[in-house]
Amino acid sequence: MRVALGFLVGALGLAASGAAQAQDNKLGIPGAISGAFGFASDYVFRGITQTASDPTVQGSIEYAVETGFRDTSVYANAWGSNVKFTDASIEIDVAAGVRGSILGITYDIGPVYYSYPGAADNLNYDYWEAGLRLGYDFGIAAAVASFYYSPNYFADTGNATYYQVGVDVPLPFAVTLGARYGHQSIDNNARFGTPDYSDWNVGVSREFLTIVWDLRYFDTDLTRAECSAGTGNCDTRVVLAATKKF
């Protein structure tokens, strides 16, 4: 499971490092290589901690190539983090896709494969999702939305869908206020450890000394009794993240 660097600015997303615009790199091959490295006080994915409230170290690398057609580019990336699961302490996600813009609407579409090296095969932690992420900048605020589908979600819990909507508002002093609301649906709730649930977060971010700082509040509508046999993994929490892009 994944959230970009604790909550790497632009979550969604959502989904991976930003598209690189340069078409040449120091390796002398077409395309551009970019990445990020960071620390966070917790790793929260869809409202639930993945590190049992412990700190996290995370990093990503991406290769992207512009197609020359309407600002479209294709990319592949890898992302990693520590986690604190039964029989798993590392998560590595691999994604690929196409991103661009049409009539001012940005899009990013492609699959993500989530893996947990070292976990026993019978735990069935590894899974994949197909994702679609959209955005539109109105000037005074930018709206974002995303949708994910997995045919067999984490721990062999069957079909699962997740949608998220949000807004980013520029504030004075180069600060961005961001808020997200999402909903997770899973076929086999008993095996996953929670009923279907909603999650939300709100926070502020700013780049300072070439590092993106993000302070964010996370919560869900799950009670402690509904969360993984009474654990506090779904509790309200505040996360501070610091990320350096390169």
Side-chain angles (χ1 to χ4, degrees), residues 16-83:
S17 304
Q21 298 302 313
Q23 280 301 97
D24 294 302
N25 53 61
K26 293 180 180 180
L27 297 180
I29 59 177
I33 298 173
S34 60
F37 179 79
F39 304 87
S41 59
D42 197 350
Y43 169 18
V44 181
F45 178 76
R46 299 177 185 174
I48 300 176
T49 177
Q50 309 297 289
T51 52
S53 302
D54 287 344
T56 180
V57 178
Q58 303 173 336
S60 65
I61 188 166
E62 176 175 286
Y63 175 67
V65 179
E66 294 181 3
T67 66
F69 177 75
R70 294 188 176 182
D71 299 321
T72 299
S73 62
V74 295
Y75 67 88
N77 60 49
W79 180 94
S81 174
N82 58 298
V83 296

Side-chain angles (χ1 to χ4, degrees), residues 144-232:
V144 295
S146 58
F147 177 80
Y148 295 88
Y149 167 76
S150 175
N152 194 13
Y153 194 53
F154 180 78
D156 196 25
T157 49
N159 289 326
T161 59
Y162 181 77
Y163 70 81
Q164 185 184 74
V165 294
V167 62
D168 292 317
V169 181
L171 299 178
F173 307 108
V175 174
T176 298
L177 171 67
R180 302 287 187 271
Y181 174 86
H183 185 77
Q184 179 76 66
S185 298
I186 307 165
D187 268 1
N188 193 335
N189 297 106
R191 183 174 176 85
F192 182 72
T194 76
D196 294 349
Y197 69 95
S198 297
D199 72 286
W200 52 90
N201 67 74
V202 61
V204 291
S205 61
R206 189 186 190 281
E207 183 173 344
F208 179 67
L209 298 177
T210 72
I211 296 174
V212 177
W213 300 86
D214 189 274
L215 181 65
R216 195 158 299 269
Y217 165 89
F218 292 87
D219 203 359
T220 74
D221 62 356
L222 294 167
T223 66
R224 179 165 289 202
E226 292 174 323
C227 182
S228 303
T231 69

Side-chain angles (χ1 to χ4, degrees), residues 12 17-21 62 64-75 96-110 131-137 143 145:
L12 9 89
S17 304
Q21 298 302 313
E62 176 175 286
V65 179
E66 294 181 3
T67 66
F69 177 75
R70 294 188 176 182
D71 299 321
T72 299
S73 62
V74 295
Y75 67 88
V98 178
R99 60 165 71 100
S101 63
I102 299 176
L103 300 176
I105 300 173
T106 61
Y107 66 88
D108 185 338
I109 183 169
L132 170 65
R133 296 158 289 277
L134 302 171
Y136 189 84
D137 191 344

